[in-house]
PDB file of all heavy atoms in Angstrom:
ATOM      1  N   ARG A  37      -7.146   5.885 -21.175  1.00 56.00           N
ATOM      2  CA  ARG A  37      -7.869   6.590 -20.095  1.00 56.00           C
ATOM      3  C   ARG A  37      -9.367   6.553 -20.287  1.00 56.00           C
ATOM      4  O   ARG A  37     -10.154   6.256 -19.422  1.00 56.00           O
ATOM      5  CB  ARG A  37      -7.385   8.020 -19.998  1.00 56.00           C
ATOM      6  CG  ARG A  37      -6.758   8.379 -18.694  1.00 56.00           C
ATOM      7  CD  ARG A  37      -6.645   9.829 -18.571  1.00 56.00           C
ATOM      8  NE  ARG A  37      -5.258  10.194 -18.760  1.00 56.00           N
ATOM      9  CZ  ARG A  37      -4.841  11.450 -18.946  1.00 56.00           C
ATOM     10  NH1 ARG A  37      -5.747  12.423 -18.992  1.00 56.00           N
ATOM     11  NH2 ARG A  37      -3.607  11.728 -19.118  1.00 56.00           N
ATOM     12  N   LEU A 140       1.190  -2.849 -14.898  1.00 83.00           N
ATOM     13  CA  LEU A 140       2.675  -2.872 -14.716  1.00 83.00           C
ATOM     14  C   LEU A 140       3.361  -2.403 -15.980  1.00 83.00           C
ATOM     15  O   LEU A 140       4.437  -1.779 -15.921  1.00 83.00           O
ATOM     16  CB  LEU A 140       3.140  -4.305 -14.420  1.00 83.00           C
ATOM     17  CG  LEU A 140       3.027  -4.765 -12.963  1.00 83.00           C
ATOM     18  CD1 LEU A 140       3.566  -6.179 -12.842  1.00 83.00           C
ATOM     19  CD2 LEU A 140       3.718  -3.817 -12.021  1.00 83.00           C
ATOM     20  N   GLY A 213      -0.742 -16.424 -24.810  1.00 76.00           N
ATOM     21  CA  GLY A 213       0.601 -15.830 -24.657  1.00 76.00           C
ATOM     22  C   GLY A 213       0.638 -14.341 -24.713  1.00 76.00           C
ATOM     23  O   GLY A 213       1.669 -13.727 -24.656  1.00 76.00           O
ATOM     24  N   ARG A 221       2.352 -15.263  -2.023  1.00 97.00           N
ATOM     25  CA  ARG A 221       2.189 -14.730  -0.665  1.00 97.00           C
ATOM     26  C   ARG A 221       3.511 -14.207  -0.171  1.00 97.00           C
ATOM     27  O   ARG A 221       4.585 -14.759  -0.524  1.00 97.00           O
ATOM     28  CB  ARG A 221       1.647 -15.780   0.292  1.00 97.00           C
ATOM     29  CG  ARG A 221       0.213 -16.172  -0.088  1.00 97.00           C
ATOM     30  CD  ARG A 221      -0.625 -16.518   1.136  1.00 97.00           C
ATOM     31  NE  ARG A 221      -2.006 -16.748   0.778  1.00 97.00           N
ATOM     32  CZ  ARG A 221      -2.966 -15.880   0.953  1.00 97.00           C
ATOM     33  NH1 ARG A 221      -2.701 -14.708   1.599  1.00 97.00           N
ATOM     34  NH2 ARG A 221      -4.181 -16.135   0.624  1.00 97.00           N
TER      35      ARG A 221
END
Side-chain angles (χ1 to χ4, degrees):
R37 240 194 256 169
L140 279 182
R221 293 215 173 255

